[in-house]
Amino acid sequence: MPASSIQILDSIVDFTAKTEVDAITKSLLTSILELTPISEVVLLDYCSGLNPPFTVLGTNDNSAFQQENIEQVDALLEDCLESQEVTMHQAYDHTLVAVPIYYEKDEDIRGVLCGRAEQLNEEQLAMVSGLIHIYENYQQIIMASERDSFTGLFNRKVLTKKLDLISDRLAQAPAAMDSDLDQASYPWICIFDVDHFKQINDNFGHVFGDEVILLLASLMRQTFSVEDTLFRYGGDEFVVLLHPCTRAMAEQKANTFIANVNARDFGAAETVTISMGTTRIDKAHQSTSTLLGNADQALYHAKQNGRNQVAFYEELLESGIIKTFVAADDVELF
């Protein structure tokens, strides 16, 4: 039975009444189930560099797609990612559909909505696509609130969400077969701040200090890959979430950025330097607060031992220079 105009309007009202990403996701799934013949639906987050690359963001049923042939679902997702278009596969007695999702313009696919129905005609498929477009547009509005208003980088709230998402994804991943950590690829979290930033503010004024912050944000965008995620953590403190890479590549990226900061002309201040603390994100790290605490310990060590350098938490821990950090919200204290 075709959806009525009232139903469609109610769905749009429901979308625009929400202010949280999770609530908007739930509204999207509910609208698709109510306005289209789709009876099972799942929304997947997608990140190409992680294993597994998909994480479930929402579903109408805990059993959704469990009865589906996994090879058929994999083939559907693969075709959707390759074509970057709405993809439909015909099964024995039903239809599978995958719709790519883009949270921001000119970006790669960030998610895929998969649905199962007895059949879908063009008008019904257009309804699904239209609901996805509303979802994407509203996601952009929500994401605007997740940016630091001064630098345009992501803010601290988003950092916590992304770390939680990565931790969930890694928890679902199979155990790594490669025991050589130097050759394995991991996400990395890097925290850095400006050396002697208070002196910069005291000597040249807060307006000049603000210019330093803006220049650093610009250098971050120029130096790091589009696959790396950039944050302003607060004040003169920043965070870079590195796309999965080896230990050597993480160090190279960190040192390249430090060198670029050293080479930049900061005007009256002449030279500005930064110190950075880095830690890898793996299955052993269970909480966001612990990850940030580990990176912060490495940052503290870098600042106490010469500044203008990067320190890696795992190496400091292995050498006995620092002790294991356990956040106050975990069971134990260090």
Side-chain angles (χ1 to χ4, degrees):
M1 178 178 171
S4 69
S5 298
I6 296 298
Q7 285 178 299
I8 295 172
L9 286 173
D10 285 344
S11 177
I12 295 173
V13 169
D14 188 48
F15 265 117
T16 55
K18 304 296 188 279
T19 58
E20 294 292 333
V21 172
D22 290 344
I24 297 171
T25 297
K26 183 178 180 181
S27 180
L28 169 67
L29 301 182
T30 300
S31 297
I32 287 176
L33 292 169
E34 292 178 348
L35 302 178
T36 76
I38 289 177
S39 58
E40 293 186 36
V41 63
V42 60
L43 183 63
L44 303 170
D45 178 79
Y46 174 69
C47 182
S48 60
L50 294 180
N51 182 27
F54 290 103
T55 300
V56 175
L57 293 181
T59 179
N60 68 305
D61 189 330
N62 290 334
S63 63
F65 287 92
Q66 285 188 4
Q67 304 302 318
E68 197 64 49
N69 185 318
I70 189 65
E71 293 181 356
Q72 289 181 324
V73 175
D74 286 345
L76 176 75
L77 292 172
E78 184 177 345
D79 287 352
C80 180
L81 293 174
E82 184 175 349
S83 67
Q84 300 191 26
E85 295 178 351
V86 177
T87 304
M88 293 179 66
H89 282 191
Q90 207 63 42
Y92 171 68
D93 60 351
H94 60 275
T95 298
L96 296 176
V97 60
V99 185
I101 295 174
Y102 304 85
Y103 293 157
E104 294 187 73
K105 293 180 179 179
D106 303 322
E107 280 199 352
D108 293 333
I109 291 174
R110 297 286 297 277
V112 178
L113 181 131
C114 291
R116 171 180 171 147
E118 290 186 4
Q119 64 180 72
L120 278 172
N121 60 35
E122 290 187 8
E123 183 178 345
Q124 292 162 343
L125 187 59
M127 174 66 75
V128 175
S129 297
L131 291 170
I132 290 293
H133 290 321
I134 294 173
Y135 175 78
E136 290 173 332
N137 289 342
Y138 214 62
Q139 283 280 15
Q140 291 179 33
I141 295 173
I142 296 298
M143 290 181 72
S145 71
E146 296 177 336
R147 299 275 184 176
D148 172 58
S149 60
F150 187 61
T151 63
L153 303 179
F154 283 113
N155 60 27
R156 190 168 181 164
K157 178 179 71 174
V158 181
L159 174 62
T160 300
K161 288 183 179 180
K162 287 188 178 292
L163 288 177
D164 288 343
L165 189 61
I166 290 174
S167 295
D168 290 344
R169 185 182 281 115
L170 289 175
Q172 299 172 23
M177 299 299 293
D178 189 355
S179 60
D180 188 351
L181 294 179
D182 289 336
Q183 298 303 315
S185 290
Y186 294 94
W188 299 81
I189 182 168
C190 310
I191 296 180
F192 74 87
D193 65 13
V194 181
D195 295 328
H196 304 299
F197 187 65
K198 183 178 184 303
Q199 292 182 18
I200 292 174
N201 278 330
D202 290 345
N203 293 336
F204 305 105
H206 289 275
V207 173
F208 186 88
D210 287 345
E211 287 297 321
V212 170
I213 296 298
L214 289 174
L215 287 171
L216 283 173
S218 177
L219 279 175
M220 290 171 72
R221 294 188 182 95
Q222 295 171 30
T223 303
F224 293 101
S225 164
V226 293
E227 295 179 317
D228 302 324
T229 313
L230 313 178
F231 306 84
R232 186 184 183 196
Y233 198 58
D236 65 314
E237 197 166 27
F238 297 83
V239 171
V240 180
L241 188 56
L242 295 180
H243 197 68
C245 61
T246 63
R247 160 68 173 74
M249 180 59 71
E251 183 173 14
Q252 179 183 334
K253 286 187 174 187
N255 283 328
T256 296
F257 180 64
I258 290 171
N260 288 347
V261 173
N262 289 340
R264 183 68 166 84
D265 181 5
F266 285 88
E270 295 184 358
T271 59
V272 170
T273 64
I274 64 163
S275 298
M276 181 180 290
T278 300
T279 188
R280 70 171 180 264
I281 307 173
D282 58 28
K283 292 172 75 90
H285 294 142
Q286 297 299 315
S287 75
T288 294
S289 54
T290 298
L291 281 170
L292 293 171
N294 291 347
D296 202 51
Q297 280 195 93
L299 168 61
Y300 182 79
H301 178 84
K303 296 186 80 68
Q304 293 297 308
N305 290 271
R307 295 184 171 85
N308 197 29
Q309 61 182 306
V310 58
F312 281 79
Y313 170 80
E314 286 74 20
E315 293 179 1
L316 297 172
L317 184 66
E318 186 177 349
S319 65
I321 295 175
I322 61 176
K323 297 181 179 179
T324 301
F325 172 85
V326 180
D329 60 354
D330 288 334
V331 176
E332 301 175 358
L333 296 176
F334 64 94

